[in-house]
Amino acid sequence: MGTRSDAVVLFGVTGDLVSKKLFPALYELVRRGRLSGPVIGVARSPWDDQQLVTAARKAITEAGRQIDEDVFDDLAGRLRMISGDYADPATYQRLTEALADAANPLFYLAIPPAVFDSAVAGLAGAGLAQRGRVVVEKPFGHDLKSARVLSTTLRGVFAEEQIFRIDHYLGKEAVEDIAVFRFGNRLFEPLWNREHIANVQVTLAESFGTQGRAGFYDRVGATRDVLQNHVLQVVALLAMEPPVAGDADSFRNAEAAVLAQMKPLSPETTVRGQYEGYRDEPGVPAGSTTETFVATTVTIENERWAGVPFLLRTGKSLPKTATEVVVEFRQPDQRLIPAENDAEPVANLLRFRLGRADGITMSIQAKNPGVEVTSRPVELSVDFDKALEPRREAYERLLDDAMDGRHLRFAREETIEHEWRVVEPILDLPGELPSYEEGTWGPSEAARLTPVWHTPIG
Ligand code: NDP
């Protein structure tokens, strides 16, 4: 923790991320009395303050918020627009003037990677980097090499404690709950190893396509967009050893340690695919070989996990939008209770539902009614929205954290580099991709990775 940020600067304020996530998050922070000082938008578009206020209102309304006019007026009164080029020192001169009263501003770089260097150099050149914090968005680099270059650029200007690297999955309450479930309960941690767990599956599925962002997506693909960051972060939380203590550093050390133990992914245990019609979308070059689906297996060769596959899959235009972890336990060694109709009993499954309808569902065997002693699966389930009060949006929590200088929910440089190391062998694989029909679970080839892919229920 440090001094709370007393100004927020949004680079790329005219963009999609600011509109979808950051304006609604700032509105919530104002509502809870967590925002002080100005909110300064920077972009090349020649907007004035009023256009910024109009854009903020539209964004907050579109995010489904019922606008409280007093709250909005408070936010609107803080908004200032600076239009200018990221390479022009005059832009930073005006920013310096606008930040005259701020001792500790938060610079949020919601800009395309192409202008990242200019913005960092501009802040440094104007002497703004010494005071304040910087938030950087994913994708952090394009591969291991470019991530290292980016780190060098950032570290040349900012100290590590000033840098906040967003992986918004770390801001999701249900994702944090994985650690609470494991380390805050006695029940499952003794079973959390290869003796008792057969495999772990992580599915991050989207039922929609590129939603008008094909130009961005085609340069990235499913592996870089979500597997390298969100999915591997979830695996780290599932697989990490208990941290030596409850503080942020211990926690992040344990996460980094398990990422360091993950084997690089192998093309042999990876299936990529592209949904039919993707190449016809505006912004997608003819003959694009960008994957919109990837399924793969990651292994962790340590005492706890040797031999346990972590099966990962993510894609667009799949049958539903859901993020779910399924932990499949081994069957009892002594088979005393057959399933009904002499079938093989279904293994115990523990599901972490991490999407909108978040919660936990456990599938256990129960006595099947009737004379025979047979079993069939039933579900024990908790929906967090019923059992707990409403959760806060990830971006709201992360902005609040960064403004307080709390690093727990941000990725470290070494974590991101390990994630790139793990995915590197499957980036840009040559050759044609298998296609899949929209609304299916990807190409049929994915079935070769596991006898059963558990379909998300969330
Ligand atoms: P946009 O493509 O919407 O771009 C943001 C703004 O940057 C634009 O409004 C534009 O503003 C400016 N810009 C665009 N291209 C250039 C260029 N070549 N040179 C200078 N300025 C340019 O990006 P997003 O808002 O979608 O994303 C911002 C960052 O956040 C990116 O790094 C992205 O990867 C990341 N991100 C985005 C997510 C999302 O859902 N959108 C999710 C997670 C991460 P102007 O022309 O007015 O200067």
Side-chain angles (χ1 to χ4, degrees), residues 377-392:
V378 292
E379 286 181 349
L380 306 179
S381 198
V382 59
D383 297 335
F384 289 157
D385 65 350
K386 296 195 187 101
L388 307 163
E389 67 262 28
R391 267 86 58 230
R392 290 184 186 146

Side-chain angles (χ1 to χ4, degrees), residues 14-17 20 43-45 86 110-112 115 137-139 213:
T14 52
D16 184 63
L17 181 74
K20 271 195 330 216
R44 298 170 308 177
S45 299
Y86 296 109
I111 43 176
V115 280
E137 265 292 346
K138 66 144 208 192
R213 296 181 75 229

Side-chain angles (χ1 to χ4, degrees), residues 350-363:
L350 172 65
R351 292 174 189 265
F352 294 94
R353 292 182 278 116
L354 306 177
R356 286 213 173 274
D358 56 6
I360 290 176
T361 301
M362 209 161 67
S363 168

Side-chain angles (χ1 to χ4, degrees), residues 167 169-170 175 178 226-240 255 258-259 262 410-412 415-416 419:
D167 179 332
Y169 262 54
L170 289 172
V175 170
I178 294 171
V226 294
L227 186 81
Q228 178 266 344
N229 38 72
H230 305 328
V231 176
L232 288 184
Q233 269 294 347
V234 168
V235 175
L237 287 167
L238 290 162
M240 68 198 254
E255 266 183 306
V258 75
L259 280 160
M262 286 181 200
F410 293 87
R412 271 189 193 161
T415 306
I416 291 172
E419 291 170 349

Side-chain angles (χ1 to χ4, degrees), residues 26 55 65 99 124 262 272 327 338 346 350 387 403 422 449:
L26 286 167
R65 300 286 195 294
L99 287 172
M262 286 181 200
R272 302 176 320 136
V327 179
V346 178
L350 172 65
M403 291 178 77
V422 170
L449 301 185

